[in-house]
Amino acid sequence: MGVLAFLLCVIVVFSTQSRAMETFGTKEVPSTMWYSGYNMTYTDVTLDHFRFQNNATFPLRYLYNLDAVEVDSEQPTPVIVLMGCENAAPGFWESAGFVTTTLRERFNAAVLGIEHRYFGTSLPFGKNSFTEENIAYLTIDQALADHVEVIQMFKEKYGFQDSPVVTFGASYCGMLSVYMRMRYPWLVEGAIGAAAPYRGFVGSTSNPFAYSQALTQDYSNYAPQCESILRNGFQTLRSFFDSSEEEFTELSEQLNLCKPVLSAPEVGDLYAWFESAILSLALFDYPYRTLVPANPLNVACDRAISAVTSTSSPANGRFLDDNTFQNNINALKPMLDAVNVFYNRTETNTCNNIYSLDEFGGLDSLAWAYISGTTFIMETGSNGVTDMFWDAPLNLELRSQYLEKKFGFPVINRPESLVNSFGGRNYKHDLLQYSNIIFSNGSIDPTHVLSITENISDTIIGFKMEGAAHGLDIYLPNPLDPESVVRGRQVEIANIYKWINEFYERQE
């Protein structure tokens, strides 16, 4: 899938914004039900942790909450760290209610949220952070080392020198949580990675199309006709590559595009726009309303099926007329209705902006494009046979070309660098070298096929929560959560108790 890497950033940003107001059934619940307040400040961290030419530093933002800390406790206060993600720190903090509220209160813990370098306001060179020279300091290794410095500073500044540390994150920062335990076990007692794609990187997966297949299956599981409509729409898009200027104009007008499609490459942009929403609807398929309806995948499918039934479009095996070009446009309209459950969630759009995602992320999207194009490279291609998308396997050369165009200078990718650093080629063997890690996954989140869904040992735990979407367990508990998520959180809590007790026992 050509857009997945970028989408992982948009997913987190959108998800954190979308949960400022949720509904429990028909009753609206204000954000204070799941949002935990924080103090926000900065600390200087080393710009380059791995070279010794200078001691340059820059201010990195961090958030913290000490409200549940028991001053007179006989045992040291646990420190739960929310790993920096591919967006501003406040956004992820506000969505991670299970960590910032539930776990904080359960363990009388101090909670620390660390912003990822080059995201939010933690820009080493301000708006000049993304030049060829300055962006070189944006790596996963540097970000992990930032976390070490901030955790050490935090423990010393607030009197938690003897406290155990547990890390938590979802998606990209779920992997960072896992990596922290793997690389710095002396500092991190245990790690939880929700929707962490440990088996999703180049060199670590045996099926490069597994993700696209799982995403397709999500739609088919709800309604086989829905998957058929979407498959037909995606494949029909190819027919517009050789369109004339007049045909491009007609396509753009009938799809009500804000900016007309005028060339074959822009047909690819239109495809990416459709694909992005289809992925997002599956990832955000939560059982309660956020900024999209509850169970948005189901809503989108219902709209697509309804559109086909009412218009007798080609997607349903009938034709409006004998005009092949018009029939092809008609095949896209049910898919358009489906994706606007995501894009037109406010129902205020006057046209369809297929470049809305490019405009959405700001500097965060630049930082994510760089990370996901250099090292965090996932095998998320499609083949158009076992999935409903185009035949588009991962193409590293095209990715490099895209990054060079985006940044204005050559960007080299090292696709197997994470596997070389943290294992994954033989994940069962490799994970046995580690301990105290939990991989949690949702069954309707396609990311689960790239993660660990089984126990590797007594201390490397993986599980799949039936009916759960992307990283649902990290959010504040909700009465509409599937029972599997309730049980998953119980597993996480039980293991955190175990990790903390083991830490205390070693101190005696």
Side-chain angles (χ1 to χ4, degrees):
M1 303 191 115
V3 300
L4 175 62
F6 172 74
L7 262 179
L8 289 174
C9 174
V10 177
I11 286 161
V12 174
V13 175
F14 170 78
S15 182
T16 57
Q17 292 182 351
S18 71
R19 305 182 71 87
M21 180 71 76
E22 297 177 347
T23 59
F24 289 5
T26 59
K27 179 182 177 182
E28 284 199 335
V29 179
S31 58
T32 50
M33 290 293 291
W34 60 269
Y35 163 70
S36 174
Y38 53 79
N39 297 291
M40 180 172 67
T41 188
Y42 292 80
T43 186
D44 288 338
V45 296
T46 303
L47 174 64
D48 189 345
H49 297 277
F50 306 108
R51 293 190 301 174
F52 304 93
Q53 278 70 29
N54 64 69
N55 291 319
T57 62
F58 71 96
L60 192 82
R61 181 164 61 169
Y62 69 94
L63 317 178
Y64 66 95
N65 186 310
L66 308 180
D67 291 350
V69 173
E70 294 183 337
V71 178
D72 298 325
S73 174
E74 295 181 359
Q75 292 183 320
T77 298
V79 176
I80 300 178
V81 176
L82 195 60
M83 298 295 294
C85 282
E86 64 273 44
N87 67 323
F92 193 57
W93 179 288
E94 291 167 10
S95 69
F98 177 62
V99 179
T100 59
T101 299
T102 306
L103 296 182
R104 175 174 61 86
E105 295 173 353
R106 176 67 67 92
F107 292 97
N108 298 119
V111 179
L112 169 65
I114 303 172
E115 191 161 76
H116 195 301
R117 60 167 57 199
Y118 288 78
F119 290 93
T121 59
S122 297
L123 302 175
F125 305 95
K127 291 185 178 180
N128 294 321
S129 297
F130 299 95
T131 65
E132 183 173 11
E133 178 181 2
N134 293 342
I135 203 171
Y137 302 100
L138 175 53
T139 69
I140 289 174
D141 291 335
Q142 298 279 12
L144 293 175
D146 288 343
H147 282 68
V148 173
E149 283 196 3
V150 176
I151 292 170
Q152 292 285 73
M153 174 281 301
F154 182 79
K155 293 179 72 175
E156 294 174 7
K157 182 175 181 178
Y158 297 100
F160 302 128
Q161 295 95 328
D162 300 324
S163 295
V165 173
V166 174
T167 58
F168 215 122
S171 200
Y172 169 62
C173 46
M175 275 314 319
L176 295 189
S177 175
V178 171
Y179 291 157
M180 280 293 289
R181 169 62 183 171
M182 289 178 167
R183 179 161 289 177
Y184 302 106
W186 57 269
L187 176 65
V188 175
E189 195 67 23
I192 297 175
Y198 181 74
R199 294 193 296 131
F201 303 105
V202 174
S204 67
T205 179
S206 60
N207 181 1
F209 307 116
Y211 189 91
S212 298
Q213 292 169 10
L215 178 55
T216 299
Q217 193 63 46
D218 280 344
Y219 284 87
S220 181
N221 286 344
Y222 176 69
Q225 186 184 6
C226 179
E227 186 266 331
S228 178
I229 291 169
L230 298 178
R231 182 185 292 267
N232 182 63
F234 280 123
Q235 302 312 319
T236 300
L237 264 176
R238 290 183 175 278
S239 68
F240 296 101
F241 277 134
D242 298 324
S243 297
S244 65
E245 182 177 344
E246 291 181 353
E247 288 172 331
F248 278 133
T249 299
E250 183 66 21
L251 170 67
S252 301
E253 289 180 355
Q254 290 203 37
L255 296 185
N256 191 27
L257 303 184
C258 301
K259 180 181 178 181
V261 168
L262 300 174
S263 65
E266 291 177 0
V267 172
D269 295 338
L270 178 59
Y271 167 82
W273 183 75
F274 278 118
E275 183 193 44
S276 299
I278 295 303
L279 170 59
S280 299
L281 290 165
L283 295 174
F284 303 145
D285 200 20
Y286 301 123
Y288 37 74
R289 181 177 179 83
T290 56
L291 284 186
V292 291
N295 303 119
L297 183 151
N298 302 2
V299 175
C301 279
D302 290 344
R303 288 192 184 181
I305 293 170
S306 177
V308 167
T309 303
S310 62
T311 62
S312 299
S313 77
N316 203 33
R318 299 190 295 272
F319 293 82
L320 287 174
D321 52 47
D322 294 329
N323 185 323
T324 301
F325 182 78
Q326 181 61 54
N327 288 335
N328 289 342
I329 293 179
N330 292 338
L332 302 182
K333 291 180 179 179
M335 187 160 67
L336 182 65
D337 284 354
V339 301
N340 268 326
V341 172
F342 175 71
Y343 288 124
N344 195 18
R345 49 194 174 268
T346 61
E347 299 185 350
T348 58
N349 293 354
T350 58
C351 58
N352 296 306
N353 180 8
I354 68 173
Y355 298 103
S356 57
L357 291 181
D358 290 334
E359 300 165 2
F360 184 76
L363 294 179
D364 285 352
S365 70
L366 278 178
W368 179 246
Y370 188 83
I371 290 177
S372 62
T374 52
T375 53
F376 202 79
I377 301 173
M378 297 172 61
E379 281 273 21
T380 53
S382 54
N383 58 25
V385 178
T386 60
D387 57 67
M388 59 187 174
F389 304 101
W390 285 1
D391 182 10
L394 176 66
N395 188 316
L396 294 174
E397 183 177 350
L398 286 179
R399 178 167 293 196
S400 293
Q401 293 172 4
Y402 163 78
L403 291 175
E404 183 170 356
K405 180 180 179 181
K406 191 174 188 70
F407 288 100
F409 51 83
V411 177
I412 297 172
N413 54 55
R414 295 192 172 93
E416 297 190 14
S417 62
L418 290 178
V419 176
N420 290 340
S421 295
F422 301 103
R425 288 185 176 85
N426 183 344
Y427 73 92
K428 291 184 178 181
H429 169 272
D430 297 346
L431 286 173
L432 286 175
Q433 316 310 311
Y434 304 106
S435 64
N436 293 5
I437 297 172
I438 294 177
F439 295 89
S440 65
N441 299 277
S443 68
I444 59 175
D445 173 11
T447 311
H448 80 265
V449 300
L450 306 180
S451 186
I452 306 300
T453 57
E454 60 183 327
N455 293 348
I456 304 301
S457 68
D458 291 341
T459 61
I460 300 295
I461 296 170
F463 57 84
K464 182 168 60 175
M465 298 169 288
E466 290 301 318
H470 192 71
L472 180 56
D473 52 317
I474 202 170
Y475 297 115
L476 191 79
N478 185 306
L480 298 179
D481 286 333
E483 181 61 29
S484 62
V485 174
V486 176
R487 293 194 301 270
R489 292 188 181 118
Q490 290 171 346
V491 170
E492 293 164 358
I493 289 172
N495 277 274
I496 293 174
Y497 271 119
K498 175 175 175 287
W499 299 337
I500 291 174
N501 288 334
E502 290 172 347
F503 175 87
Y504 293 150
E505 289 171 1
R506 292 200 304 273
Q507 311 311 308
E508 295 177 353

